[in-house]
Amino acid sequence: MVPRLNTAFSGPLLEIERCFLDAMPEIERWLRGQWQEHTPPFYGSVDLRNSGFKLAPVDMNLFPGGFNNLDASFLPLCVQAAVTLIDRICPDAKRLLLIPENHTRNLFYLQNVAQLAAILRLTGLEVRLGSLLPEIDKPTPIELPDGTTLLLEPLVRSRYRLGLAGFEPCAVLLNNDLSAGIPQILQNLHEQVVLPPLHAGWAVRRKSNHFAAYDEVAGDFARLVGIDPWRINPYFSVCDSVNFHERQGEECLAANVDAVLELIREKYKQYGIEEPPYVVVKADAGTYGMGVMTVKDAAQVTGLNRRQRNKMSVIKEGLAVSQVIIQEGVYSDEVVGSGKQEGVAEPVVYMIDRFVVGGFYRVHSGRGRDENLNAPGMHFERLAFETSCSLPDQCQDPDAAPNRFYTYGVVARLAQLAASLELERTAPVEEQVSCA
Protein backbone atom coordinates (compact mmCIF):
# COMPACT_ATOMS: atom_id res chain seq x y z
CA MET A 1 0.00 0.00 0.00
CA VAL A 2 1.29 3.44 -0.98
CA PRO A 3 -0.74 6.30 0.53
CA ARG A 4 -1.90 8.83 -1.99
CA LEU A 5 0.01 12.09 -2.10
CA ASN A 6 -2.44 14.96 -1.61
CA THR A 7 -0.40 17.77 -3.09
CA ALA A 8 0.03 19.82 -6.21
CA PHE A 9 3.78 19.57 -5.77
CA SER A 10 4.24 15.86 -6.37
CA GLY A 11 6.22 16.63 -9.52
CA PRO A 12 9.34 17.86 -7.71
CA LEU A 13 9.31 14.85 -5.38
CA LEU A 14 9.14 12.58 -8.39
CA GLU A 15 12.28 14.37 -9.56
CA ILE A 16 14.00 13.37 -6.30
CA GLU A 17 12.85 9.77 -6.67
CA ARG A 18 13.95 9.70 -10.31
CA CYS A 19 17.30 11.20 -9.35
CA PHE A 20 17.83 8.55 -6.67
CA LEU A 21 16.93 5.79 -9.14
CA ASP A 22 19.31 7.11 -11.79
CA ALA A 23 22.13 7.49 -9.26
CA MET A 24 21.49 4.19 -7.45
CA PRO A 25 24.91 2.60 -8.13
CA GLU A 26 26.72 5.78 -7.03
CA ILE A 27 24.51 6.07 -3.94
CA GLU A 28 25.13 2.50 -2.85
CA ARG A 29 28.89 2.78 -3.43
CA TRP A 30 29.02 6.04 -1.49
CA LEU A 31 27.09 4.61 1.44
CA ARG A 32 29.22 1.49 1.46
CA GLY A 33 32.32 3.68 1.66
CA GLN A 34 30.82 5.71 4.52
CA TRP A 35 30.16 2.54 6.54
CA GLN A 36 33.80 1.58 6.14
CA GLU A 37 34.73 4.77 7.98
CA HIS A 38 31.89 5.03 10.51
CA THR A 39 30.21 2.51 12.80
CA PRO A 40 26.40 2.56 12.58
CA PRO A 41 24.28 2.47 15.75
CA PHE A 42 22.97 -0.94 16.79
CA TYR A 43 19.51 0.07 15.60
CA GLY A 44 17.41 3.13 14.91
CA SER A 45 14.12 4.44 13.57
CA VAL A 46 13.61 7.58 11.52
CA ASP A 47 10.44 9.66 11.24
CA LEU A 48 10.16 11.09 7.72
CA ARG A 49 7.86 13.78 6.36
CA ASN A 50 6.86 13.85 2.72
CA SER A 51 5.46 17.17 1.50
CA GLY A 52 5.64 16.38 -2.19
CA PHE A 53 8.31 19.02 -2.77
CA LYS A 54 10.48 17.84 0.11
CA LEU A 55 11.29 14.56 1.86
CA ALA A 56 13.21 14.93 5.11
CA PRO A 57 13.83 13.26 8.46
CA VAL A 58 12.38 15.11 11.42
CA ASP A 59 13.37 12.77 14.24
CA MET A 60 15.87 9.97 14.87
CA ASN A 61 15.31 7.44 17.64
CA LEU A 62 18.29 5.35 18.78
CA PHE A 63 16.12 3.15 21.05
CA PRO A 64 13.26 2.21 18.69
CA GLY A 65 10.14 0.91 20.38
CA GLY A 66 7.93 -0.30 17.54
CA PHE A 67 9.32 -3.59 16.27
CA ASN A 68 5.88 -5.07 16.94
CA ASN A 69 4.47 -2.71 14.28
CA LEU A 70 6.60 -4.24 11.53
CA ASP A 71 4.91 -6.70 9.22
CA ALA A 72 5.94 -10.33 9.69
CA SER A 73 7.40 -10.34 6.18
CA PHE A 74 10.23 -8.13 7.45
CA LEU A 75 11.39 -10.68 10.02
CA PRO A 76 14.02 -12.30 7.74
CA LEU A 77 15.54 -8.87 7.01
CA CYS A 78 15.70 -8.10 10.73
CA VAL A 79 17.38 -11.41 11.56
CA GLN A 80 19.86 -11.16 8.69
CA ALA A 81 20.87 -7.61 9.68
CA ALA A 82 21.21 -8.63 13.33
CA VAL A 83 23.41 -11.62 12.41
CA THR A 84 25.68 -9.37 10.34
CA LEU A 85 25.93 -6.90 13.21
CA ILE A 86 26.71 -9.53 15.86
CA ASP A 87 29.31 -11.16 13.61
CA ARG A 88 31.09 -7.82 13.37
CA ILE A 89 30.86 -6.80 17.02
CA CYS A 90 31.26 -10.11 18.80
CA PRO A 91 31.12 -13.26 16.67
CA ASP A 92 31.51 -15.53 19.72
CA ALA A 93 28.55 -13.98 21.59
CA LYS A 94 26.21 -16.49 23.21
CA ARG A 95 24.16 -14.53 25.75
CA LEU A 96 22.61 -11.08 25.62
CA LEU A 97 20.91 -9.05 28.34
CA LEU A 98 18.09 -6.84 27.04
CA ILE A 99 17.05 -3.92 29.27
CA PRO A 100 13.67 -2.39 28.34
CA GLU A 101 11.91 0.81 29.38
CA ASN A 102 10.09 0.86 32.71
CA HIS A 103 6.70 0.69 30.97
CA THR A 104 5.46 -2.50 32.57
CA ARG A 105 1.84 -1.39 32.09
CA ASN A 106 2.28 -0.45 28.43
CA LEU A 107 1.51 -3.76 26.78
CA PHE A 108 2.01 -2.35 23.28
CA TYR A 109 5.56 -1.40 24.18
CA LEU A 110 6.19 -4.78 25.80
CA GLN A 111 5.07 -6.48 22.59
CA ASN A 112 7.87 -4.53 20.92
CA VAL A 113 10.29 -5.94 23.50
CA ALA A 114 9.03 -9.46 22.86
CA GLN A 115 9.47 -9.04 19.09
CA LEU A 116 12.96 -7.61 19.50
CA ALA A 117 13.95 -10.50 21.78
CA ALA A 118 12.54 -12.98 19.23
CA ILE A 119 14.63 -11.44 16.44
CA LEU A 120 17.79 -11.68 18.52
CA ARG A 121 17.08 -15.27 19.57
CA LEU A 122 16.84 -16.22 15.90
CA THR A 123 20.47 -15.13 15.53
CA GLY A 124 21.50 -17.87 17.99
CA LEU A 125 21.69 -15.74 21.13
CA GLU A 126 20.22 -16.63 24.49
CA VAL A 127 18.26 -13.47 25.37
CA ARG A 128 16.89 -12.59 28.80
CA LEU A 129 15.30 -9.39 30.08
CA GLY A 130 16.58 -7.38 33.02
CA SER A 131 14.50 -4.58 34.54
CA LEU A 132 15.70 -1.31 36.05
CA LEU A 133 12.55 -1.13 38.19
CA PRO A 134 13.33 -1.59 41.91
CA GLU A 135 10.00 -3.39 42.43
CA ILE A 136 11.13 -6.17 40.07
CA ASP A 137 12.95 -8.06 42.84
CA LYS A 138 12.17 -11.54 41.53
CA PRO A 139 11.41 -13.07 38.11
CA THR A 140 8.09 -11.50 37.10
CA PRO A 141 6.01 -12.87 34.21
CA ILE A 142 3.82 -10.44 32.26
CA GLU A 143 1.01 -11.72 30.06
CA LEU A 144 0.84 -10.07 26.63
CA PRO A 145 -2.32 -9.60 24.53
CA ASP A 146 -1.21 -12.23 22.00
CA GLY A 147 -1.13 -14.90 24.71
CA THR A 148 2.65 -14.99 25.12
CA THR A 149 4.50 -14.20 28.34
CA LEU A 150 7.40 -11.87 28.94
CA LEU A 151 9.69 -12.60 31.90
CA LEU A 152 11.31 -9.59 33.59
CA GLU A 153 14.13 -10.35 36.02
CA PRO A 154 16.04 -8.28 38.59
CA LEU A 155 19.50 -7.11 37.58
CA VAL A 156 22.58 -8.37 39.40
CA ARG A 157 25.66 -6.13 39.42
CA SER A 158 29.23 -7.21 40.13
CA ARG A 159 32.20 -4.86 40.06
CA TYR A 160 32.46 -4.36 36.29
CA ARG A 161 29.69 -6.59 34.92
CA LEU A 162 25.92 -6.71 34.79
CA GLY A 163 23.71 -9.76 34.52
CA LEU A 164 20.96 -11.79 36.13
CA ALA A 165 21.04 -14.54 38.72
CA GLY A 166 22.83 -17.43 37.02
CA PHE A 167 23.16 -15.50 33.74
CA GLU A 168 26.42 -13.86 32.60
CA PRO A 169 25.72 -12.01 29.33
CA CYS A 170 28.35 -11.23 26.72
CA ALA A 171 26.74 -7.85 26.00
CA VAL A 172 23.99 -5.53 27.22
CA LEU A 173 21.42 -4.13 24.78
CA LEU A 174 19.42 -1.11 25.91
CA ASN A 175 15.89 -0.51 24.69
CA ASN A 176 15.62 2.20 27.34
CA ASP A 177 16.39 5.76 26.22
CA LEU A 178 17.66 6.84 29.67
CA SER A 179 15.54 9.99 29.72
CA ALA A 180 15.61 10.03 33.52
CA GLY A 181 19.40 9.79 33.61
CA ILE A 182 22.02 7.05 33.57
CA PRO A 183 21.43 4.71 36.53
CA GLN A 184 24.46 3.87 38.64
CA ILE A 185 23.98 0.18 37.88
CA LEU A 186 24.76 0.82 34.19
CA GLN A 187 27.88 2.87 34.76
CA ASN A 188 31.48 1.63 34.56
CA LEU A 189 30.72 -1.72 32.94
CA HIS A 190 34.33 -2.04 31.86
CA GLU A 191 34.08 -5.73 30.98
CA GLN A 192 30.97 -5.65 28.78
CA VAL A 193 29.80 -4.01 25.59
CA VAL A 194 26.75 -1.77 26.15
CA LEU A 195 24.69 -1.03 23.04
CA PRO A 196 23.75 1.62 22.16
CA PRO A 197 26.41 3.43 24.22
CA LEU A 198 25.24 5.30 27.30
CA HIS A 199 25.81 8.70 25.71
CA ALA A 200 23.16 7.80 23.10
CA GLY A 201 20.50 8.19 25.80
CA TRP A 202 18.55 11.40 26.29
CA ALA A 203 20.35 12.09 29.56
CA VAL A 204 23.23 13.22 27.31
CA ARG A 205 22.02 13.26 23.71
CA ARG A 206 20.62 16.34 21.95
CA LYS A 207 18.60 16.46 18.74
CA SER A 208 20.54 19.53 17.61
CA ASN A 209 23.78 17.50 17.61
CA HIS A 210 22.11 14.92 15.39
CA PHE A 211 20.78 17.45 12.89
CA ALA A 212 24.12 19.27 12.80
CA ALA A 213 25.67 15.96 11.73
CA TYR A 214 22.79 15.33 9.31
CA ASP A 215 23.33 18.76 7.75
CA GLU A 216 26.88 17.68 6.90
CA VAL A 217 25.80 14.28 5.56
CA ALA A 218 22.96 15.75 3.49
CA GLY A 219 25.31 18.33 1.98
CA ASP A 220 27.83 15.68 0.89
CA PHE A 221 25.09 13.42 -0.46
CA ALA A 222 23.37 16.24 -2.34
CA ARG A 223 26.62 17.08 -4.13
CA LEU A 224 26.95 13.40 -5.07
CA VAL A 225 23.52 13.17 -6.74
CA GLY A 226 23.17 16.78 -7.88
CA ILE A 227 20.22 18.06 -5.85
CA ASP A 228 19.59 21.01 -3.56
CA PRO A 229 20.32 19.66 -0.04
CA TRP A 230 17.30 21.58 1.27
CA ARG A 231 15.08 19.06 -0.53
CA ILE A 232 16.11 16.41 2.03
CA ASN A 233 17.23 18.56 4.96
CA PRO A 234 15.20 20.70 7.39
CA TYR A 235 16.62 24.00 8.61
CA PHE A 236 17.00 24.29 12.38
CA SER A 237 18.25 26.47 15.19
CA VAL A 238 18.64 26.11 18.96
CA CYS A 239 17.74 28.11 22.06
CA ASP A 240 19.45 27.46 25.40
CA SER A 241 18.37 28.57 28.88
CA VAL A 242 14.64 28.40 28.20
CA ASN A 243 12.14 28.27 31.06
CA PHE A 244 8.56 28.24 29.83
CA HIS A 245 7.08 28.57 33.32
CA GLU A 246 9.12 31.69 34.05
CA ARG A 247 8.89 33.01 30.47
CA GLN A 248 12.67 33.01 30.23
CA GLY A 249 14.26 32.83 26.81
CA GLU A 250 11.22 34.13 24.90
CA GLU A 251 13.31 36.73 23.05
CA CYS A 252 15.81 34.09 21.92
CA LEU A 253 12.98 31.83 20.89
CA ALA A 254 11.16 34.52 18.90
CA ALA A 255 14.36 35.63 17.14
CA ASN A 256 15.25 32.08 16.12
CA VAL A 257 11.71 31.33 14.96
CA ASP A 258 11.84 34.46 12.78
CA ALA A 259 15.25 33.52 11.38
CA VAL A 260 14.27 29.97 10.43
CA LEU A 261 10.93 31.10 8.95
CA GLU A 262 12.77 33.61 6.78
CA LEU A 263 15.10 30.91 5.45
CA ILE A 264 12.08 28.76 4.59
CA ARG A 265 10.32 31.70 2.87
CA GLU A 266 13.32 32.19 0.61
CA LYS A 267 13.26 28.53 -0.42
CA TYR A 268 9.50 28.53 -0.92
CA LYS A 269 9.87 31.57 -3.16
CA GLN A 270 12.67 29.86 -5.11
CA TYR A 271 10.49 26.81 -5.78
CA GLY A 272 7.19 28.63 -6.23
CA ILE A 273 5.60 27.05 -3.16
CA GLU A 274 2.57 28.94 -1.90
CA GLU A 275 2.14 27.10 1.41
CA PRO A 276 2.71 29.18 4.57
CA PRO A 277 6.06 28.18 6.12
CA TYR A 278 6.10 26.93 9.69
CA VAL A 279 8.51 25.64 12.31
CA VAL A 280 8.23 23.03 15.02
CA VAL A 281 9.52 24.01 18.46
CA LYS A 282 10.39 20.96 20.55
CA ALA A 283 12.54 19.87 23.43
CA ASP A 284 16.11 19.26 22.32
CA ALA A 285 16.10 16.01 24.31
CA GLY A 286 13.36 13.42 24.70
CA THR A 287 10.79 11.41 22.82
CA TYR A 288 7.11 10.40 22.90
CA GLY A 289 6.00 13.57 21.14
CA MET A 290 6.05 15.63 24.35
CA GLY A 291 7.08 19.29 24.45
CA VAL A 292 6.17 19.98 20.80
CA MET A 293 4.36 22.91 19.19
CA THR A 294 3.76 24.16 15.64
CA VAL A 295 4.55 27.85 15.06
CA LYS A 296 3.89 30.03 12.00
CA ASP A 297 4.68 33.41 13.54
CA ALA A 298 7.21 34.46 16.19
CA ALA A 299 4.42 36.19 18.12
CA GLN A 300 3.02 32.76 18.94
CA VAL A 301 5.96 31.94 21.24
CA THR A 302 5.93 35.19 23.21
CA GLY A 303 2.35 35.02 24.42
CA LEU A 304 1.85 31.42 25.48
CA ASN A 305 -0.99 30.86 27.92
CA ARG A 306 -0.60 28.80 31.08
CA ARG A 307 -1.78 25.57 29.43
CA GLN A 308 0.66 25.98 26.53
CA ARG A 309 3.54 26.77 28.88
CA ASN A 310 2.74 23.71 31.00
CA LYS A 311 2.66 21.53 27.87
CA MET A 312 6.04 22.78 26.68
CA SER A 313 7.79 22.83 30.04
CA VAL A 314 8.10 19.10 30.75
CA ILE A 315 8.83 15.93 28.78
CA LYS A 316 9.07 12.21 29.51
CA GLU A 317 9.78 11.31 33.16
CA GLY A 318 8.58 14.79 34.15
CA LEU A 319 11.92 16.38 33.23
CA ALA A 320 11.98 20.15 32.78
CA VAL A 321 12.70 21.57 29.33
CA SER A 322 15.62 24.02 29.30
CA GLN A 323 16.79 23.77 25.70
CA VAL A 324 14.69 23.63 22.52
CA ILE A 325 15.32 23.05 18.85
CA ILE A 326 13.47 25.19 16.31
CA GLN A 327 13.11 22.93 13.27
CA GLU A 328 11.70 23.68 9.86
CA GLY A 329 8.24 22.20 9.59
CA VAL A 330 7.76 19.76 6.73
CA TYR A 331 4.18 19.28 5.58
CA SER A 332 3.02 15.68 5.54
CA ASP A 333 0.93 15.27 2.41
CA GLU A 334 0.61 11.50 2.45
CA VAL A 335 -2.89 10.34 3.33
CA VAL A 336 -4.18 6.93 4.38
CA GLY A 337 -7.86 5.92 4.24
CA SER A 338 -10.88 7.82 3.02
CA GLY A 339 -13.86 9.72 4.41
CA LYS A 340 -14.01 9.75 8.21
CA GLN A 341 -11.20 7.18 8.31
CA GLU A 342 -8.83 9.42 6.36
CA GLY A 343 -5.68 10.40 8.24
CA VAL A 344 -2.44 12.24 7.63
CA ALA A 345 0.43 9.75 7.48
CA GLU A 346 4.20 9.79 7.86
CA PRO A 347 6.59 6.92 7.16
CA VAL A 348 8.72 5.49 9.95
CA VAL A 349 11.73 3.51 8.73
CA TYR A 350 13.48 0.94 10.93
CA MET A 351 17.15 -0.02 10.67
CA ILE A 352 19.45 -2.52 12.31
CA ASP A 353 23.11 -1.70 11.80
CA ARG A 354 23.40 -0.12 8.33
CA PHE A 355 20.46 -2.02 6.87
CA VAL A 356 16.87 -0.93 6.36
CA VAL A 357 14.79 -3.74 7.83
CA GLY A 358 11.23 -2.43 7.47
CA GLY A 359 8.81 0.32 8.24
CA PHE A 360 5.24 1.41 8.70
CA TYR A 361 3.08 4.52 8.58
CA ARG A 362 2.12 6.55 11.60
CA VAL A 363 -1.41 7.82 10.93
CA HIS A 364 -3.51 10.39 12.78
CA SER A 365 -7.02 11.27 11.61
CA GLY A 366 -7.33 14.09 14.14
CA ARG A 367 -4.19 16.02 13.20
CA GLY A 368 -3.41 18.31 10.29
CA ARG A 369 -0.63 18.01 7.75
CA ASP A 370 1.43 20.62 9.63
CA GLU A 371 1.04 19.02 13.06
CA ASN A 372 2.91 16.48 15.16
CA LEU A 373 1.43 13.02 14.48
CA ASN A 374 3.18 11.37 17.43
CA ALA A 375 0.28 12.09 19.75
CA PRO A 376 -2.63 10.30 21.44
CA GLY A 377 -5.08 9.06 18.82
CA MET A 378 -2.42 7.93 16.34
CA HIS A 379 -2.35 4.43 14.92
CA PHE A 380 0.04 2.44 12.79
CA GLU A 381 -0.52 0.88 9.39
CA ARG A 382 1.56 -2.27 9.75
CA LEU A 383 1.11 -3.43 6.16
CA ALA A 384 2.24 -0.14 4.66
CA PHE A 385 5.49 -1.31 3.07
CA GLU A 386 4.62 -4.09 0.66
CA THR A 387 8.19 -4.22 -0.62
CA SER A 388 11.64 -3.78 0.84
CA CYS A 389 13.12 -0.28 1.05
CA SER A 390 16.25 -1.69 -0.64
CA LEU A 391 14.86 -3.05 -3.92
CA PRO A 392 14.00 -0.28 -6.41
CA ASP A 393 12.59 -1.18 -9.81
CA GLN A 394 13.79 1.08 -12.61
CA CYS A 395 11.21 -0.44 -14.96
CA GLN A 396 8.41 1.17 -12.93
CA ASP A 397 7.43 4.82 -12.39
CA PRO A 398 9.42 6.79 -9.80
CA ASP A 399 6.46 6.84 -7.40
CA ALA A 400 5.75 3.10 -7.65
CA ALA A 401 5.89 1.33 -4.28
CA PRO A 402 9.43 -0.10 -4.52
CA ASN A 403 10.84 3.21 -5.75
CA ARG A 404 9.17 5.46 -3.24
CA PHE A 405 10.20 3.07 -0.47
CA TYR A 406 13.76 2.99 -1.81
CA THR A 407 13.81 6.78 -1.60
CA TYR A 408 12.60 6.54 1.99
CA GLY A 409 15.32 4.02 2.71
CA VAL A 410 18.06 6.21 1.27
CA VAL A 411 17.07 9.23 3.37
CA ALA A 412 16.70 7.02 6.45
CA ARG A 413 20.20 5.64 5.92
CA LEU A 414 21.51 9.20 5.67
CA ALA A 415 19.97 9.82 9.10
CA GLN A 416 21.55 6.60 10.41
CA LEU A 417 24.92 7.78 9.07
CA ALA A 418 24.40 11.14 10.77
CA ALA A 419 23.71 9.28 14.03
CA SER A 420 27.05 7.51 13.59
CA LEU A 421 28.85 10.84 13.29
CA GLU A 422 26.86 12.25 16.19
CA LEU A 423 27.81 9.39 18.51
CA GLU A 424 31.47 9.54 17.47
CA ARG A 425 31.67 13.26 18.20
CA THR A 426 29.87 13.15 21.53
CA ALA A 427 31.56 10.01 22.90
CA PRO A 428 33.38 10.41 26.22
CA VAL A 429 36.98 9.28 26.38
CA GLU A 430 36.66 5.77 27.79
CA GLU A 431 38.57 2.57 27.86
CA GLN A 432 37.68 0.29 24.97
CA VAL A 433 35.59 -2.73 25.98
CA SER A 434 35.68 -6.05 24.17
CA CYS A 435 33.08 -8.76 24.39
CA ALA A 436 33.71 -11.69 26.68
Side-chain angles (χ1 to χ4, degrees), residues 396-418:
Q396 297 191 50
D397 292 335
D399 61 344
N403 297 332
R404 183 181 293 183
F405 296 156
Y406 175 71
T407 306
Y408 290 164
V410 169
V411 176
R413 283 184 286 168
L414 296 180
Q416 184 84 331
L417 176 58

Side-chain angles (χ1 to χ4, degrees), residues 150-386:
L150 209 59
L151 184 67
L152 297 178
E153 301 183 66
L155 295 168
V156 176
R157 174 68 190 253
S158 61
R159 187 176 182 184
Y160 294 129
R161 298 183 69 84
L162 185 65
L164 307 173
F167 183 75
E168 285 281 340
C170 307
V172 177
L173 177 63
L174 298 175
N175 198 243
N176 184 310
D177 65 22
L178 306 178
S179 291
I182 302 174
Q184 185 67 36
I185 198 170
L186 293 179
Q187 298 179 26
N188 302 314
L189 294 175
H190 298 314
E191 297 180 359
Q192 285 170 306
V193 174
V194 178
L195 300 166
L198 296 179
H199 69 280
W202 288 120
V204 179
R205 188 180 180 227
R206 296 295 178 266
K207 296 176 183 179
S208 52
N209 287 334
H210 174 78
F211 283 100
Y214 183 80
D215 184 68
E216 179 181 328
V217 169
D220 291 344
F221 176 82
R223 284 188 288 274
L224 173 75
V225 299
I227 62 170
D228 181 348
W230 175 77
R231 302 288 294 278
I232 57 171
N233 187 17
Y235 289 125
F236 78 95
S237 186
V238 181
C239 273
D240 299 312
S241 303
V242 173
N243 186 318
F244 285 97
H245 277 311
E246 303 295 330
R247 295 187 180 276
Q248 293 177 3
E250 285 188 346
E251 297 80 6
C252 170
L253 195 52
N256 278 273
V257 167
D258 254 342
V260 176
L261 283 174
E262 183 56 33
L263 289 172
I264 304 170
R265 288 189 193 100
E266 291 177 5
K267 282 296 182 182
Y268 278 19
K269 182 177 180 180
Q270 176 183 341
Y271 285 98
I273 299 165
E274 298 179 355
E275 305 279 1
Y278 74 98
V279 298
V280 176
V281 178
K282 52 188 174 183
D284 204 17
T287 55
Y288 289 87
M290 302 176 70
V292 180
M293 66 182 297
T294 297
V295 177
K296 295 184 178 179
D297 190 290
Q300 292 178 256
V301 299
T302 58
L304 297 179
N305 59 38
R306 182 186 297 273
R307 181 183 178 186
Q308 291 170 321
R309 295 200 309 273
N310 288 340
K311 176 185 175 183
M312 292 298 297
S313 62
V314 295
I315 53 174
K316 183 185 172 189
E317 306 286 355
L319 299 179
V321 174
S322 60
Q323 182 170 312
V324 297
I325 180 172
I326 300 96
Q327 186 181 66
E328 175 185 352
V330 180
Y331 285 97
S332 186
D333 276 334
E334 290 186 285
V335 178
V336 169
S338 60
K340 293 183 179 180
Q341 301 301 317
E342 181 177 283
V344 178
E346 63 185 13
V348 183
V349 178
Y350 270 59
M351 287 160 291
I352 294 176
D353 194 55
R354 63 188 186 276
F355 303 104
V356 173
V357 297
F360 50 84
Y361 280 93
R362 178 184 290 116
V363 184
H364 204 305
S365 58
R367 291 287 177 110
R369 48 198 286 272
D370 60 350
E371 293 184 281
N372 172 35
L373 304 186
N374 188 8
M378 67 179 172
H379 71 275
F380 304 104
E381 291 289 341
R382 294 184 59 185
L383 301 178
F385 290 7
E386 293 178 347

Side-chain angles (χ1 to χ4, degrees), residues 45-58:
S45 66
V46 182
D47 294 352
L48 301 176
R49 302 276 287 202
N50 182 351
S51 65
F53 54 84
K54 181 166 186 159
L55 173 66
V58 294

